[in-house]
Each structure stands twice: as C-alpha cells, then as structure tokens.
Amino acid sequence: MGWLNGQNPSFPNNPEDPKKIYIEKADFFDVNQTEIPDAALLRGNIIAKHDGAVLYCNTAYYFKKENYIKCFGNVRLVQGDTITMTSEYGEYNGNNKLAYAQGNVVLTSPNSTLKTSLLHFDRATQEAYYRTGGTIYSGQNTLESITGTYYTNAKMFNFQQKVQVFNGSATINTDFLDYYEVNGHAYVKGPSTIKDKDTFIYTEKGFYDTKLDVSDMDKNSYILYKDRRIEGDFIYYDKKRDFSKATRNVKITDTVNNMIVTGHYGEMYQAKDSAIITKSALAKTLMENDTLYIHAQKMILSGKPESRVMRAYYNVRFYKSDMSGKCDSLYSDEKTSITQLIGNPVLWNFKNQMTGDLMHLIHNKETEKLDSLKVFNNTFLVSKDTLGTGFNQVKGVFLNGRFEDNKLREVDVIKNTEIIYYLRNDNQEMIGINKSVCSKINMLVQGNTMEDITLMDQVEGEIYPEDELPENARKLRGFIWRQDERIQSVDDLMPEEEKAYDLKMKQEAREEKEKTTP
C-alpha cells in the first residue's frame, strides 16, 4: 500500500503538531505487527519532518507511538540552511530531538565538513558529537581527533584525544582544542605543539589564528628554531613575518655558540637571523669550564651561527671568574673572534686594571680562551704594589697583551710610554721607585704581578729612593683607581633598580603559578 503527501487514511499525520514526526511522503507503506510491532515500514523517496528539520531516506521504520524513526539508505537530515547530515543509517527521536547517524557520516555546515563513522546530534542543544574518531575540513584546515563536539550555535568545535590540525603551513598536535570555524581561531590546553618546516612550538595554553598564522601562548611555552630557542611567560609568534616576541622571564638559547640570553622582553626575527632582548638583559656564554656573563640595557644578536654578532648597549658590565669589566657598549663578532669594548672601557684581570679609549679582546676559537688584548689610545695599566700603598703604572698610546690560560702573561705598551714601578728584592724589601719615559715597554706578568720590565728606545728616567719621590709625583697624569667599580661577582652586574625589576617580574610569575596550581 502506498500514499503521497501523508494522505493515507489508515496512517494519519498531523503536520501542525511540531512535537510529532510528520511523514510527508513515501512511495510505499505497510504495517506488520508480527515482525516489528507498532512500526510502519516505509519505502521509496521518504520525506519526514520534525520541528524545522527534514529527514530523507530510502527505507524507514516509523514508530508513531514512540515518535521515533529508523532510516536506511541515503539517509539525509537537513536543518534549515545550517546543517546537513548524511549517512548509511540513522535514527531520530521526536520527543528529545536526538539524531543518531552511522556509516560514512558526513555533517556539513556553511563553513565546515565533518566526516566520521558514528555521530550523535542533539537538536535541542544544537550539539553534535562523536567518540570514534573524526575529521573536519574547514577552509584550508583539516582537523582530526578521537572525540569531538560541534556547537552549531557558536560554530565551534571542541576536540579531545590525539587532536591534529593541518593547515598547509603548520601542524598542531594536542589533546584538547577549541576551534571556531568562521574565523579559524584555535585554542589549545595541555601539552601542545605547533610544527612547520623551520619552527617547533610548545605550549600548555595558547591561541593560534589558522588564517593569519599567528599565535599567542602563555604557559610553559617556547619556540625552537634551527639553532635558537626562545622562552617566556607570554609569547607571540607571526609565521608570515617570521617574527616572535616574548615578555617576562624571557630566555633565548643559542645552541651553536653555547650562549643564553635572559631578560623580560625579547624579539626574534628569524628571516634576518636576529634577536633583541631588553629589561634586565643578561647573556651567559660557556667557555671551557667557566661562564662569561654580560649585562646591558639592550642586546642584539644577529647573523648566521658561524658569523654571529652580539651588540650590547648602555652601561655594559661583564664578569668571568678571572676577568671583569665595564664599558658604554660592546660589539662581539663570532667570525673574527674579536670583542670590542667601546666608550670608557675598563678591564680587570686578577690584580691588573686596564683602561683606554677602545679595547679589543681576541679569543681563540679552538680553545675558547682569551688569546690577546689590544688597547687603542690613552692606554693605562695599573696594579697595586704588593705590600705598600702605592700603584704600579704604565701609560702609553697602544697596548698589546698576550694571554695564557686566560691570564695576562705579556704586555707591550707602545708610543709615548711612561712608567712608575715599585722595585722590591727577593725578600720583598723596597729597593726604589722607577719613574721613566721611553718609546716602548715590555712586561712579563708572573703570579699576577708585573715582573721583568724592559724599557726600550729613548729611555729617560731614574730609580728614586722611596723617601725622595714625593706622593704627588707617584701618580701619572690621568691616573684613576677604579677598584670601587670592579665587578666582583655575577650579583654585581645589574644596577639596583634593574635587580628590583628582575625580582618583581619573577615574583609575579611565581604568584600567578601558585594561583593556577591545584
């Protein structure tokens, strides 16, 4: 028996009752109480409606009393212009508006397509969910997960368990992700990674704009490039610009040159191989069982690993167990192994203080030790007399120094040289004070004191008994003893105001972590 447009007299339908499933059309209708009690068998071009939804299929069992229908073959559920769900098999309950689809399930919306093997759709709450794995196609994005829920009103997917997002340029891996299909925004929670050709990102809480290729991360996050790693409490990343920035507890690691730079604000331009870090900036470089620390208001790292350059500006201070110093700015070139100390530089090496207009520290790449020192213009070398209150001093235009095991071993001071030196015998008894001028002075440094001093070319001067050289004549013009400025430890590197700022940032981070820790 068949009917058209629901007019079969033995099986009445009320299209005006929104709570009941209304059978609008079927090519064949039959009722068999023996095989399936209380169910009508429908076949061919079936159309059923319920509260704004239309259901199509080839074959169906309709349970009128239960207000329930089971559908087979080319099943299609259409909800206005928002949702279309197709499958091989489906069920729909008119009482609670629950739909169930199985077998090659495809759910389409204006912005996305979901494919899975089994799907539940709650029309009352407008939520569709799967628990057996699914794939979503949204714009240029492909999203996969074990479980997922689609909130049709918010146009948002919630994915859980082995979530992957592919958008052509990057891949997201996480176990929890919220995805908004209209704007392509993705929010991850828990351990998550974002990978592309040159970049690896890790975070435990973050946002990723899949259309603009930008990210914001604010929990245990870092970005790993080929030879650098940037960390911070808050990180922003722009893939198209190859740009990233981080704030608070920032750390940039140069894995090739064994350098770590920390601070509380940093920027990295990957395409230009450059990084900038400010706010309590501190660089640490590993050097053969020792560490060189450099502090400045601003640091810039640029260039490929083999020719990397570091620039440090304003009130630069540095410390190493056997050396420390200060200057206005610093320029260090990995390719030439030369570090320039620019602007009122002062260098302390054990008991020796050296100053001048410009200094070059030259390192040995193979041994990672200091090789030599060059001082240009207004060279001044000072060390305190071993027993007395006087100062050994050498002054000239240029200085060439040679290091062994990071200790100054030999020094040549050239052009317009002057010297004041306290002479002592083997018993450390005072012999006299040498005050002379010449063209060149060579000194061998032993036990961190100047010994074996040789004056060369046009030597003028004499050795004075201690009581015959007045105090005002025992210091060369331009003499300044800067011992009170000396950097004695890593703790001396930062001025007090920067220390306070550094501690404040770290304290804020600790307090926020305590608030979010269960």
Side-chain angles (χ1 to χ4, degrees):
M1 182 181 294
W3 76 83
L4 181 65
N5 296 328
Q7 300 303 314
N8 189 306
S10 64
F11 203 81
N13 289 266
N14 184 0
E16 295 180 357
D17 188 352
K19 295 182 179 180
K20 296 295 182 178
I21 298 173
Y22 167 59
I23 307 300
E24 182 177 274
K25 179 182 178 181
D27 292 343
F28 178 84
F29 158 75
D30 189 22
V31 176
N32 189 328
Q33 293 293 330
T34 302
E35 293 184 6
I36 306 179
D38 300 323
L41 171 63
L42 312 176
R43 290 179 180 169
N45 299 310
I46 299 167
I47 301 176
K49 293 184 177 181
H50 182 261
D51 196 17
V54 182
L55 184 63
Y56 304 85
C57 63
N58 295 339
T59 303
Y61 287 106
Y62 174 52
F63 301 82
K64 183 179 179 182
K65 291 182 180 180
E66 290 82 359
N67 199 25
Y68 187 78
I69 189 169
K70 292 184 177 182
C71 303
F72 305 84
N74 296 318
V75 181
R76 180 160 54 101
L77 175 66
V78 180
Q79 179 180 276
D81 58 356
T82 59
I83 294 294
T84 298
M85 182 171 66
T86 62
S87 61
E88 297 173 1
Y89 171 77
E91 300 176 10
Y92 183 77
N93 190 320
N95 295 327
N96 54 24
K97 301 175 73 172
L98 290 176
Y100 169 83
Q102 183 176 349
N104 295 319
V105 183
V106 178
L107 181 80
T108 58
S109 69
N111 299 287
S112 300
T113 299
L114 162 63
K115 293 184 178 182
T116 184
S117 60
L118 192 154
L119 185 70
H120 298 267
F121 179 30
D122 187 340
R123 294 190 60 234
T125 60
Q126 287 297 296
E127 297 176 9
Y129 59 92
Y130 59 88
R131 299 293 182 265
T132 57
T135 303
I136 291 83
Y137 304 92
S138 177
Q140 64 177 349
N141 302 309
T142 300
L143 305 95
E144 299 176 352
S145 69
I146 301 299
T147 67
T149 302
Y150 177 50
Y151 302 88
T152 63
N153 292 334
K155 295 180 172 55
M156 185 267 281
F157 288 92
N158 169 256
F159 301 101
Q160 297 185 42
Q161 298 183 46
K162 297 182 179 180
V163 184
Q164 284 192 315
V165 182
F166 310 91
N167 78 335
S169 62
T171 301
I172 301 175
N173 286 272
T174 184
D175 276 329
F176 188 99
L177 180 142
D178 287 336
Y179 174 76
Y180 292 83
E181 60 179 347
V182 176
N183 55 25
H185 289 179
Y187 296 83
V188 298
K189 297 178 184 178
S192 309
T193 63
I194 304 174
K195 302 178 185 178
D196 60 28
K197 182 179 178 182
D198 301 315
T199 309
F200 176 91
I201 299 174
Y202 176 87
T203 186
E204 294 177 11
K205 183 183 177 185
F207 155 78
Y208 179 52
D209 188 323
T210 62
K211 293 183 178 180
L212 298 179
D213 267 343
V214 299
S215 307
D216 275 306
M217 297 153 282
D218 58 7
K219 184 178 180 181
N220 298 329
S221 310
Y222 66 84
I223 301 176
L224 183 63
Y225 297 105
K226 291 180 179 179
D227 53 26
R228 290 182 185 168
R229 170 177 168 140
I230 183 169
E231 306 169 52
D233 290 354
F234 307 97
I235 298 179
Y236 169 83
Y237 174 65
D238 186 333
K239 165 63 180 174
K240 293 179 180 178
R241 294 169 56 202
D242 273 334
F243 169 77
S244 57
K245 66 179 178 180
T247 55
R248 205 174 68 185
N249 293 318
V250 179
K251 181 180 178 181
I252 298 178
T253 304
D254 183 336
T255 57
V256 174
N257 295 306
N258 296 320
M259 178 186 291
I260 296 174
V261 186
T262 59
H264 294 292
Y265 180 79
E267 295 180 356
M268 183 173 288
Y269 301 82
Q270 180 65 7
K272 298 179 181 179
D273 280 298
S274 67
I276 301 170
I277 194 160
T278 60
K279 297 184 179 180
S280 304
L282 181 67
K284 294 175 278 189
T285 304
L286 298 179
M287 301 179 67
E288 197 214 20
N289 302 322
D290 202 352
T291 303
L292 172 64
Y293 297 87
I294 302 175
H295 165 72
Q297 293 181 21
K298 181 177 182 180
M299 291 184 183
I300 301 174
L301 305 175
S302 60
K304 301 293 182 181
E306 65 278 1
S307 57
R308 190 142 292 163
V309 170
M310 183 177 81
R311 298 173 176 86
Y313 298 99
Y314 317 120
N315 195 19
V316 178
R317 303 181 181 196
F318 53 93
Y319 173 80
K320 196 167 170 283
S321 63
D322 49 25
M323 181 184 68
S324 63
K326 299 173 62 176
C327 57
D328 293 336
S329 60
L330 178 148
Y331 179 95
S332 183
D333 190 329
E334 186 69 25
K335 188 174 183 179
T336 62
S337 296
I338 296 176
T339 298
Q340 299 182 38
L341 311 182
I342 305 166
N344 196 30
V346 55
L347 182 70
W348 293 280
N349 178 251
F350 296 102
K351 296 182 179 180
N352 305 302
Q353 172 188 295
M354 288 162 279
T355 57
D357 291 349
L358 173 67
M359 291 185 182
H360 286 184
L361 283 168
I362 300 143
H363 291 78
N364 186 307
K365 286 185 177 181
E366 295 181 359
T367 63
E368 295 184 348
K369 296 179 180 180
L370 279 173
D371 180 81
S372 55
L373 166 70
K374 295 183 181 297
V375 183
F376 303 90
N377 298 323
N378 296 313
T379 295
F380 221 120
L381 176 62
V382 182
S383 65
K384 200 167 186 179
D385 180 36
T386 54
L387 298 178
T389 59
F391 295 91
N392 298 315
Q393 305 155 59
V394 178
K395 180 181 177 182
V397 178
F398 304 108
L399 180 148
N400 291 323
R402 181 176 60 84
F403 289 87
E404 289 181 6
D405 294 326
N406 291 320
K407 296 181 180 180
L408 190 64
R409 292 302 189 194
E410 185 175 7
V411 173
D412 286 319
V413 180
I414 306 167
K415 195 174 182 179
N416 300 332
T417 57
E418 302 177 55
I419 185 170
I420 291 179
Y421 187 73
Y422 288 75
L423 298 171
R424 294 182 180 275
N425 60 23
D426 294 340
N427 295 322
Q428 295 299 306
E429 298 170 337
M430 177 69 71
I431 298 174
I433 303 173
N434 185 346
K435 184 174 183 180
S436 304
V437 298
C438 60
S439 296
K440 179 180 178 181
I441 297 175
N442 174 267
M443 292 171 288
L444 297 179
V445 182
Q446 298 292 334
N448 304 321
T449 60
M450 290 183 284
E451 295 183 1
D452 298 326
I453 301 174
T454 305
L455 283 61
M456 307 177 190
D457 301 331
Q458 302 177 354
V459 179
E460 294 183 12
E462 58 182 289
I463 298 175
Y464 295 89
E466 185 177 12
D467 57 358
E468 292 185 12
L469 189 64
E471 286 292 333
N472 60 5
R474 296 185 185 186
K475 293 179 182 177
L476 298 174
R477 182 185 296 272
F479 169 88
I480 300 177
W481 183 236
R482 300 174 64 176
Q483 184 65 20
D484 58 338
E485 301 177 45
R486 185 166 185 168
I487 314 298
Q488 302 282 4
S489 67
V490 177
D491 193 54
D492 292 339
L493 286 168
M494 289 187 191
E496 291 304 319
E497 62 273 15
E498 291 198 58
K499 284 184 185 178
Y501 178 80
D502 182 55
L503 290 173
K504 177 185 176 183
M505 292 296 100
K506 292 176 179 178
Q507 180 63 27
E508 287 182 1
R510 284 192 294 268
E511 291 174 355
E512 288 183 11
K513 188 173 182 179
E514 289 172 359
K515 289 179 181 178
T516 57
T517 301

